[in-house]
Amino acid sequence: MKRSRKIFLLTACFMVLAAAFTLLVLQPSIIPRKTFSAPESSYRGWEEILSSPQPITIQTYSTGVMLTELSGIMNLAHERAAAIEDVVVEAPVNASIIHHQTLGYYLIDAGLDSSYIDHQYGTFRGLFVEKTLGKGSQEPNTNIASVIKRKNIPLRGVWLTHLHPDHIAGIIDLPKHLPYVAGKGERYINFRFFMRSDHLAGIEALYEIDFTGGIDLPPFGRGIDLLGDGSFWAIESSGHSKGHVMYFINGIEERVLVTGDACNDQFQFDTGIGPGSFSSDLEQAQQVLETIITFKERYPEVSLVFGHDRISIQHE
């Protein structure tokens, strides 16, 4: 009887501590999730998609730079990385504006917010910030919200490759009534006292893309026809993060695969060395990179936009 009572008391104490931890630490990171309602695709594979380009374009902008260890973005334990030294590198943080002639303007990723002009950790506060995060910087008026305002763009929604801070910080500067969409199960890191930024504060709900209803798009997994006309696709690419998503723009002038951090830059693509320690699953991340390389070999007409490569497009 005493043993049972002791077990009961220990269990009760554990539950109370867990509840307190959730309320004090995890509560800020809890954002309601809703399933994104995708239209039914009228295309069944790459040949059909590529033979039916649509009036959609993409422009990519650098929203700042992060200083980070190379091993974080590239797996230096890979056999091809034996001669590569782990150094601190400058990683541009990119965001893209897409324009569908009929359906309007959307954003892929949000980059860094304007707080990085003055603060190297942006809006992050907490005990672990300086020990775990890279230092960021940004020139005035280069955050994506400033670009959108300068161009007088009526933004209709934001599509996120994943929820790592350098891809969502810019949401702080954006309107909150827009739909924000990410991959199903994507984790949002925002812990009170330890590492808090509230990048998603003010958003009523985060919409999630469920790929179970998509079509097979080898060499990748499943894809979702986001706008219903074959112009803009989400492609499952879990590896760098649990719910990582790549996006494909099927434009008349240009076909573009936005890789996010499934492939950080041209050097990573050229070497074939997968993402590094910032990834949740190194093996899976390596496989996704290899499918990107295979895809480019099969469809050389498709351009690649990487998550952290230098770009030539200037801020007008």
Side-chain angles (χ1 to χ4, degrees), residues 116-164:
Y116 280 90
I117 296 172
D118 301 312
H119 303 284
Q120 59 190 3
Y121 298 112
T123 60
F124 268 108
R125 301 293 182 269
L127 299 174
F128 293 168
V129 170
E130 293 188 13
K131 294 182 179 180
T132 58
L133 294 181
K135 298 177 181 179
S137 62
Q138 184 187 85
E139 295 297 319
N141 300 316
T142 58
N143 63 308
I144 202 64
S146 293
V147 176
I148 290 169
K149 182 178 181 180
R150 190 161 58 245
K151 291 176 170 289
N152 195 29
I153 291 175
L155 197 63
R156 298 192 61 182
V158 180
W159 307 90
L160 301 164
T161 58
H162 59 304
L163 299 183
H164 286 179

Side-chain angles (χ1 to χ4, degrees), residues 33-46:
R33 308 277 179 129
K34 296 182 179 180
T35 300
F36 170 73
S37 181
E40 185 176 351
S41 172
S42 55
Y43 300 90
R44 307 312 303 173
W46 284 118

Side-chain angles (χ1 to χ4, degrees), residues 64-68 73 89-94 166 307-310:
V65 172
M66 294 295 294
L67 294 178
T68 185
I73 60 177
V89 297
E90 290 188 350
V93 182
N94 300 330
D166 51 327
H308 295 286
D309 212 2
R310 297 192 180 278

Side-chain angles (χ1 to χ4, degrees), residues 73-75 78 80 220 237-240 246 259 261-275 282-296 304 306:
I73 60 177
M74 175 175 278
N75 182 13
H78 193 285
R80 296 189 195 132
F220 305 120
S237 51
S238 176
H240 174 67
M246 296 188 296
T259 68
D261 286 5
C263 185
N264 287 282
D265 54 27
Q266 186 68 49
F267 179 64
Q268 188 159 57
F269 178 85
D270 292 340
T271 60
I273 300 171
L282 292 180
E283 183 176 349
Q284 198 169 7
Q286 178 68 40
Q287 292 173 358
V288 173
L289 174 62
E290 291 172 2
T291 62
I292 294 171
I293 295 171
T294 299
F295 177 78
K296 179 64 174 174
L304 301 177
F306 306 114

